[in-house]
Amino acid sequence: MKIDWTRNETLVALVIAAFCLAAAIADPGFLSIATLTDLLRGGIVLGIFAVAALIVLISGGIDVSFTAIAAFTMYVTAMVLNAALPWLPWWAALGFGMAIGACLGAINGVLIAGFGLPTLIVTLGTLSIFRGFMLTFIGQKQITTLPPGMREFGRMMLVRGENADGSFYSLHGAFAVTVLVIILTWAILHRTMLGRQIFAIGGSVESARRIGIKVRGVQFFVYVYVGILAGLAGVIHASMARVANPFDLVGLELSVIAAVVLGGARLAGGHGTLTGTVLGVALIVLVRNSLIVLGIPSTWQSVAIGILILIGTGLPAWQAKRAAARSA
Amino acid sequence: MTTATQATPMTRLFASTEGRLALITLVVFVLMSALSPDKFLSLQNFTSMAFQFPEFAILALAMTLTMLTGGIDLSVVGIANLSAIVAAMILTQVTGSGDGVAVLMMAYAAALAVGLVAGLFNGVLVATLGLPPILATLGSGLIFTGIAIALTGGSAMMGFPPATAWIGNATLLGIPAPLVLFAALAFAMSLLLTRTAFGVKVRMYGANPLAARFAAINIDAMLIKVYVISGALGAIAGMVVMSRANSAKADYGSSYLLLAVLIAVLGGVNPYGGYGRVIGVVLAVLSMQFLSSGLNMIGVSNFARELIWGSLLIFVMIVNTWRAKGRRS
Amino acid sequence: MADALVTLDGVTKTYSGITALDSVGFTIAAGEAVCLAGENGSGKSTLIKILAGVEQPDRGRITFGGTQQGALNPRLSAEAGIKVIFQDFSLFPNLTVAENIAFSAEIGAGARLVHKARVQDTARRTLARIGVDIPLGAAVETLSVAHKQLVAICRALATEARLIIMDEPTTALTEREVRVLLDIIRRLKADGVAVLFVSHKLAEVLEVCEKVVVLRNGQKVAEGPAHDFDAASLTRHMTGRDVAATPPTPLPASAPELMRVQGLHKDGAFADVSFTLRAGEVLGVSGLLGSGRTALAKALFGLVAPERGTITLDGKSIALGNPLAAAEAGIGYVPEDRLTEGLFLTQSILQNISIGRLGAHAGASGVLNLAGLIDEARDWLKRLSVKAPDPDAPVRSLSGGNQQRVVLARWMARSPRVLVLNGPSVGVDVGSKSEIHGIIAQLAAQGLGVIVISDDLPEVLATCHRILVMKAGKLVDDLPTGQVSETDLAHRLAS
């Protein structure tokens, strides 16, 4: 396969490789299973969020409310399961969260597809509404005793092992969920007509209408699907953290979108790949987890992520600007 | 056509976004007054409101300016905190004489310089390098916040000379100083947008960037100025926050970012550029403040504010689009 | 009449009091190609929308294959085999050729999953049907305009198509590409597919058409067999008058040189362009789309940066690739696409004029003299007789002709030395067109140099002293207007 140097995926992959190389030189212990499992663990919730953000960007919209949906869902799920349905097994707990997420996503869907409001403003509004509703009417205190189903899920490990130095490493079972989400989303985007219609309306809404695509229906699906993924991510986050903190997650939304754009998705819609998204998330997690290995104190972490975002989005923008100047 | 001939002053008022917003503000005010007349209508309440809103209202002015060009400045809060921390470092490390006014002036100058440089950085990213504003300022905002964290290790800086308290807590002829500051900035911004060539260019560029290029407007210089002014407003807001909190920290006012965007949009600013008036933004700030103070008094939690702000935003958007659709058909 | 595929009878449509179509009726038979000719605003696009089911007529009957239709909608029209190829093609730039071609067919078939083999097969078959080879896996955004059009045609053919409506099919095509298109149309007709060409420039497609219908101001003003029409009679019917090409008053021999362009070169756009422009001269630059005429026009105003060459005005050289410098030196540019490049649609009429004069009305402090600015803009509205009931209304409320005058006023207010007009009368009604031509003559009489870039040959012949013909990026002819006929010029452009 030929390597396309103009693609964002290539750029991000190169940066990841360079980062790992530099880290391996600085600390030979960097190249270990423990590092890898830490990295994968860090990508579980972020990865699901990023897939959700990707599908919205492809459809030509932007959603900043998914973190609020996730926080709302994990809190309500933990509360309701504790109070009324403690016997629900872990998979049903995840399903419960997905159902709540779907309902909240449907609210976005009605406002965007039904009323035709701009996506950024709607989701900005619902971000405040979901969060405000939860903190006002449901609760503000952390739920430290999770329902049994979530506790059980929190203890599930795919891989467990001992490092050479005697410390333990493990890979959480939720990683499998993230992988499933990626596979499922890939299948929807590339193997169903619905997915192709998502790309189509991201490419040109007007053309889509003219050939009879039910634009509203597709948009509605997109926001409900995002809601489902956000709900799932919320329950997973709480299960892995072993606490449902209503103040978690919100505030991550812009970084997630940045990771997706870093991976080549365009804000204008119609473009984006899951490979790029995964790479974008990997880079962000790598910087968060391992900057210290390169001798950069972790207080500089957000500076590093900021610079990455500027370079990752700036290079293509600058190339596009130069190409526009070159052509007539 | 028929509606234009029958237009009474009332219908014309509600035909404009600002007119409807004025009505909403009035309704909120009357409602809150009715719900708790003795508390809401007290002088003490008005004073406390006047101390509360200027800091995020100044950020909303910055957001308005950038949104008028079809952009956005997600780094304003980062700029506010970074300037506050630079100012705080001067205030805590340079020992001045007496009340510390000289040191304070030096700190303010440094903070403003930080705001201007940060704004210039954004301007270059957006205008010269052609980054989408939302990503450029998201990235630069992380950098500014990151530098603020790196400078302080993430902890709050305290121990300022007494004069620092003035800008956030003093009154001027009985009017709270932050309110005076906001009024002056809002007035200046309104003049800038309506009475200067720069303001006209900003709006025209926001309405159609391509036509602006074809009309030989110096777009790069204009955009850089926009983000520099936005950065300066961020720094000023940072000074107010620092004064009121009597400390500076890298993560102060993190909820102000969305709030500032919300206020600008609620105030009728078109986030895709080309339309927006300062009076609308002022009305949006007032209605939000009335609402949150009033609700606070009848015992509704702080978090309910967020819920109500979001609902108000969506409500106004639905009304606006519904009206626009009605006009078209 | 029995074999009529589509029959329109007394179709009438009004938009808020304005009659767009006034009891229009004609028929299209299977395998027949019909030209629907008309100027902008004649009701052509309304007719397309009604056939496509996007708009409903107020009165009148539409019959498909003998059965009268009730209220149409886009789905019913498509199911009846009526396919519209819009001027912008309405393709998905981000998807592949194969997907674009097969998309509506797959949706129509109720597919839920992607049938890759079937999609490839549909695409290959339809491409083969019109005898064209385009890589199936290429993203549509990377294709040339002509190929995009072919993809759009294939998409229309991928489902049962009985009538293909093509909106302005030839505007963007070179002569060779038009030949290819006409061959395809012949194939389709042989298959029994009917074609309706809708355009204001139909002379090129007359040879494949059986019938011509001409619309003017919403009414059918002519109908007949295609061989009864030629370019001149079509124009006469569309405009309702004989537009005789009377060349402008000759330029005095003493007119001094104003602008000189030397060796201007831009890779892939134009090469080694040199010409001079004298004061008071109207210079035409004509060429097909893609000949480099627009790139050259933009380069003169600094919107495109040439790699080599010089532009001098009054002997002073102007920095290349910088619109600010060009405007400062006294060059004005009225763009081709008024709606996206020329106007700030949501802003007021006055602001659209005064935007060019902000510098002149700002004091040292940067504060504007608003009264002066507005008075001046109002004065220009009067001078160019812009029909604007409310000068504070958004400029999009004006008609095409009045909008064009607003853009002209913006530049004229700056008292330029040279005005570059790219397609000065595209999309304006006939009356405004001749008034705009009058304005051009006036400007020249005042000693300005005017460069008219246009592929509207009667316009070029009526307004210009001299015509430069551009082909594949090069200036190939320099013709004084008096010595060339429209047919001759058309031939030189396209050969």
Side-chain angles (χ1 to χ4, degrees):
Chain A
M1 214 171 114
K2 235 177 72 193
I3 296 169
D4 187 348
W5 296 103
T6 61
R7 291 180 73 93
N8 263 46
E9 282 98 325
T10 324
L11 189 76
V12 175
L14 281 178
V15 174
I16 291 176
F19 189 103
C20 292
L21 189 69
I25 291 169
D27 172 15
F30 175 78
L31 295 179
S32 66
I33 295 179
T35 312
L36 183 68
T37 51
D38 279 352
L39 184 66
L40 295 179
R41 186 188 163 89
I44 290 172
V45 170
L46 270 185
I48 298 177
F49 277 156
V51 169
L54 171 73
I55 201 164
V56 181
L57 285 182
I58 290 177
S59 78
I62 189 164
D63 187 338
V64 293
S65 71
F66 58 85
T67 50
I69 295 182
F72 187 102
T73 303
M74 71 172 182
Y75 197 66
V76 171
T77 305
M79 185 171 268
V80 172
L81 262 52
N82 264 341
L85 310 158
W87 42 268
L88 273 190
W90 63 270
W91 49 269
L94 291 184
F96 189 88
M98 283 154 75
I100 293 180
C103 295
L104 298 181
I107 295 177
N108 283 334
V110 166
L111 291 169
I112 289 164
F115 288 86
L117 301 182
T119 55
L120 177 66
I121 296 173
V122 165
T123 53
L124 204 58
T126 51
L127 167 67
S128 301
I129 293 176
F130 298 153
R131 191 176 133 92
F133 187 88
M134 166 180 68
L135 294 174
T136 310
F137 296 110
I138 302 175
Q140 299 157 19
K141 283 201 211 74
Q142 295 191 7
I143 301 176
T144 45
T145 317
L146 291 181
M150 285 169 76
R151 258 182 293 161
E152 183 194 356
F153 183 64
R155 284 191 302 268
M156 269 184 204
M157 296 296 159
L158 284 178
V159 186
R160 224 187 276 268
E162 198 176 327
N163 291 318
D165 58 5
S167 62
F168 292 98
Y169 68 82
S170 61
L171 180 55
H172 198 275
F175 182 72
V177 178
T178 303
V179 171
L180 279 179
V181 163
I182 291 171
I183 293 171
L184 177 72
T185 307
W186 180 86
I188 290 176
L189 283 177
H190 295 281
R191 285 290 175 263
T192 71
M193 283 309 288
L194 182 62
R196 301 323 290 165
Q197 293 180 37
I198 295 172
F199 273 98
I201 64 171
S204 167
V205 178
E206 197 47 46
S207 302
R209 261 189 215 113
R210 281 179 177 165
I211 69 160
I213 291 176
K214 295 187 183 74
V215 172
R216 291 171 162 210
V218 176
Q219 278 181 332
F220 187 73
F221 167 80
V222 166
Y223 291 94
V224 172
Y225 188 69
V226 168
I228 293 174
L229 292 189
L232 180 66
V235 177
I236 291 177
H237 174 82
S239 306
M240 285 171 65
R242 308 198 174 170
V243 56
N245 179 354
F247 294 93
D248 269 3
L249 298 174
V250 173
L252 272 179
E253 55 280 344
L254 290 177
S255 314
V256 171
I257 292 170
V260 177
V261 173
L262 210 54
R266 293 191 205 162
L267 285 175
H271 290 269
T273 62
L274 283 158
T275 321
T277 301
V278 169
L279 287 170
V281 170
L283 184 55
I284 299 279
V285 176
L286 200 57
V287 171
R288 281 191 172 186
N289 284 8
S290 308
L291 203 58
I292 194 100
V293 183
L294 293 186
I296 303 170
S298 58
T299 44
W300 288 91
Q301 194 188 86
S302 87
V303 176
I305 293 177
I307 290 172
L308 277 177
I309 290 171
L310 291 186
I311 294 174
T313 59
L315 273 181
W318 192 59
Q319 276 170 352
K321 194 170 164 148
R322 285 233 323 239
R326 266 199 306 277
S327 72
Chain B
M1 274 295 130
T2 45
T3 51
T5 50
Q6 290 164 358
T8 64
M10 269 318 253
T11 54
R12 215 175 310 141
L13 181 66
F14 300 130
S16 76
T17 320
E18 290 80 14
R20 286 196 295 277
L21 198 59
L23 182 74
I24 290 175
T25 314
L26 192 71
V27 168
V28 170
F29 184 83
V30 170
L31 201 70
M32 292 305 145
S33 310
L35 282 174
S36 63
D38 42 331
K39 278 197 222 151
F40 188 79
L41 290 175
S42 68
L43 184 65
Q44 192 207 349
N45 178 41
F46 283 117
T47 326
S48 106
M49 284 198 292
F51 277 114
Q52 277 169 30
F53 73 77
E55 52 198 49
F56 60 79
I58 293 172
L59 294 177
L61 286 180
M63 206 58 83
T64 302
L65 181 63
T66 48
M67 275 191 177
L68 272 173
T69 66
I72 194 167
D73 190 345
L74 297 178
S75 71
V76 274
V77 173
I79 294 177
N81 287 323
L82 180 58
S83 352
I85 278 165
V86 169
M89 288 170 71
I90 293 174
L91 288 172
T92 49
Q93 276 161 28
V94 180
T95 42
S97 55
D99 53 4
V101 172
V103 184
L104 188 65
M105 287 304 127
M106 202 163 104
Y108 281 174
L112 200 60
V114 168
L116 293 172
V117 170
L120 182 66
F121 182 68
N122 285 333
V124 168
L125 290 176
V126 172
T128 317
L129 298 177
L131 266 75
I134 187 170
L135 294 173
T137 56
L138 171 64
S140 70
L142 282 171
I143 294 178
F144 303 146
T145 308
I147 295 175
I149 295 172
L151 287 176
T152 58
S155 49
M157 297 188 73
M158 282 172 283
F160 306 143
T164 316
W166 192 86
I167 198 168
N169 305 291
T171 56
L172 217 78
L173 303 172
I175 306 167
L179 180 63
V180 175
L181 181 64
F182 170 67
L185 289 172
F187 184 69
M189 178 69 82
S190 178
L191 278 187
L192 188 69
L193 291 178
T194 56
R195 295 294 151 103
T196 68
F198 168 73
V200 175
K201 286 181 198 165
V202 164
R203 238 175 314 123
M204 298 297 260
Y205 172 81
N208 186 347
L210 194 60
R213 194 166 128 75
F214 279 71
I217 290 175
N218 191 346
I219 294 169
D220 288 7
M222 183 271 292
L223 279 179
I224 288 178
K225 255 189 247 172
V226 162
Y227 285 92
V228 166
I229 294 174
S230 179
L233 287 171
I236 294 172
M239 294 306 94
V240 178
V241 174
M242 177 175 84
S243 170
R244 283 182 17 95
N246 201 22
S247 62
K249 194 163 177 262
D251 62 355
Y252 273 162
S254 49
S255 68
Y256 283 175
L257 184 57
L258 288 183
L259 186 57
V261 177
L262 224 114
I263 289 173
V265 175
L266 187 63
V269 180
N270 180 345
Y272 303 109
Y275 184 82
R277 293 175 62 187
V278 171
I279 180 71
V281 177
V282 170
L283 285 171
V285 167
L286 289 181
S287 60
M288 287 214 169
Q289 185 62 51
F290 290 156
L291 204 58
S292 52
S293 293
L295 292 172
N296 229 355
M297 281 166 190
I298 55 172
V300 178
S301 94
N302 264 341
F303 300 112
R305 290 195 304 193
E306 252 183 88
L307 168 64
I308 287 161
W309 287 341
S311 314
L312 193 61
L313 174 70
I314 290 194
F315 171 74
V316 170
M317 285 305 294
I318 290 176
V319 171
N320 283 351
T321 23
W322 174 69
R323 276 199 59 91
K325 270 183 195 153
R327 258 205 305 278
R328 244 181 280 131
S329 62
Chain C
M1 270 324 208
D3 61 344
L5 178 68
V6 174
T7 308
L8 298 169
D9 187 17
V11 171
T12 301
K13 174 81 188 173
T14 53
Y15 291 105
S16 49
I18 297 158
T19 308
L21 279 180
D22 187 2
S23 48
V24 171
F26 61 92
T27 61
I28 304 169
E32 188 180 50
V34 176
C35 269
L36 179 66
E39 295 268 295
N40 285 292
S42 61
K44 291 173 302 181
S45 30
T46 310
L47 195 77
I48 299 180
K49 283 182 193 153
I50 286 175
L51 278 172
V54 178
E55 301 265 8
Q56 266 67 46
D58 302 333
R59 277 197 308 281
R61 278 181 307 159
I62 300 172
T63 316
F64 291 163
T67 37
Q68 188 177 330
Q69 303 296 313
L72 283 174
N73 63 39
R75 256 214 7 257
L76 282 175
S77 276
E79 278 168 12
I82 301 208
K83 301 291 159 60
V84 183
I85 296 173
F86 289 94
Q87 199 180 353
D88 64 359
F89 308 138
S90 295
L91 296 169
F92 301 111
N94 54 334
L95 301 184
T96 64
V97 169
E99 272 196 286
N100 267 285
I101 292 176
F103 217 116
S104 11
E106 292 290 309
I107 290 180
R112 294 187 171 278
L113 298 179
V114 174
H115 300 275
K116 217 167 184 174
R118 192 165 77 193
V119 166
Q120 299 280 324
D121 186 53
T122 309
R124 208 175 290 119
R125 248 184 319 112
T126 43
L127 280 168
R129 182 167 165 199
I130 63 167
V132 183
D133 193 25
I134 302 174
L136 294 181
V140 161
E141 60 197 345
T142 63
L143 298 182
S144 70
V145 179
H147 278 181
K148 281 182 191 159
Q149 187 184 41
L150 296 176
V151 171
I153 293 177
C154 287
R155 182 169 75 185
L157 292 173
T159 48
E160 173 71 31
R162 306 174 70 185
L163 170 66
I164 293 186
I165 303 174
M166 300 188 75
D167 190 10
E168 305 285 354
T170 56
T171 13
L173 302 188
T174 65
E175 193 176 57
R176 253 191 55 209
E177 288 164 343
V178 172
R179 298 270 126 224
V180 174
L181 177 67
L182 294 188
D183 281 338
I184 290 166
I185 300 302
R186 287 196 188 91
R187 281 178 184 231
L188 293 179
K189 281 165 60 184
D191 282 359
V193 178
V195 181
L196 179 67
F197 288 110
V198 182
S199 176
H200 65 278
K201 288 200 307 182
L202 284 166
E204 301 150 290
V205 298
L206 267 181
E207 60 175 279
V208 293
C209 291
E210 275 77 27
K211 185 154 79 178
V212 172
V213 175
V214 184
L215 290 184
R216 187 169 73 229
N217 298 328
Q219 289 174 319
K220 187 175 77 177
V221 292
E223 178 176 11
H227 53 75
D228 287 357
F229 291 84
D230 60 18
S233 66
L234 269 180
T235 313
R236 193 168 58 242
H237 285 302
M238 289 196 296
T239 58
R241 58 177 119 173
D242 273 308
V243 188
T246 44
T249 42
L251 192 65
S254 61
E257 179 182 307
L258 183 62
M259 184 162 101
R260 176 178 283 271
V261 172
Q262 210 141 27
L264 213 56
H265 178 97
K266 164 102 191 150
D267 277 338
F270 49 81
D272 200 26
V273 170
S274 304
F275 62 86
T276 57
L277 176 73
R278 295 198 286 157
E281 187 179 24
V282 183
L283 178 66
V285 176
S286 202
L288 297 172
L289 210 86
S291 62
R293 59 180 158 102
T294 293
L296 175 62
K298 288 185 177 173
L300 295 178
F301 186 63
L303 290 161
V304 159
E307 280 103 25
R308 288 192 297 281
T310 55
I311 302 173
T312 50
L313 188 68
D314 289 332
K316 280 188 292 264
S317 117
I318 301 171
L320 296 178
N322 181 350
L324 299 181
E328 198 56 40
I331 301 179
Y333 178 72
V334 174
E336 197 175 17
D337 188 342
R338 195 167 46 238
L339 299 182
T340 63
E341 298 170 341
L343 293 170
F344 303 89
L345 288 174
T346 52
Q347 307 291 315
S348 76
I349 296 165
L350 290 175
Q351 289 236 354
N352 267 280
I353 295 176
S354 60
I355 180 77
R357 294 281 292 159
L358 295 175
H361 290 273
S365 58
V367 176
L368 286 171
N369 169 12
L370 282 178
L373 197 65
I374 289 170
D375 284 348
E376 190 187 82
R378 281 183 190 276
D379 186 45
W380 278 102
L381 285 179
K382 221 177 297 161
R383 278 211 245 176
L384 294 188
S385 52
V386 178
K387 286 172 209 74
D390 177 9
D392 288 315
V395 76
R396 66 168 168 226
S397 63
L398 294 181
S399 72
N402 284 316
Q403 287 180 343
Q404 188 72 334
R405 273 178 265 194
V406 167
V407 184
L408 275 168
R410 179 193 302 161
W411 286 108
M412 286 163 72
R414 292 178 62 118
S415 349
R417 309 291 318 277
V418 173
L419 210 47
V420 181
L421 310 177
N422 196 350
S425 62
V426 172
V428 307
D429 57 290
V430 184
S432 295
K433 188 167 179 174
S434 60
E435 279 176 49
I436 287 171
H437 292 173
I439 294 171
I440 294 176
Q442 256 177 41
L443 289 170
Q446 290 163 17
L448 263 77
V450 181
I451 299 177
V452 173
I453 287 145
S454 173
D455 58 354
D456 181 343
L457 302 182
E459 170 169 280
V460 178
L461 289 167
T463 53
C464 301
H465 293 105
R466 199 154 56 95
I467 300 168
L468 304 175
V469 176
M470 199 164 185
K471 218 154 55 181
K474 289 204 170 68
L475 293 182
V476 292
D477 280 313
D478 182 344
L479 312 160
T481 310
Q483 297 169 22
V484 61
S485 71
E486 191 183 329
T487 348
D488 183 24
L489 191 57
H491 185 70
R492 283 171 193 267
L493 243 60
S495 63

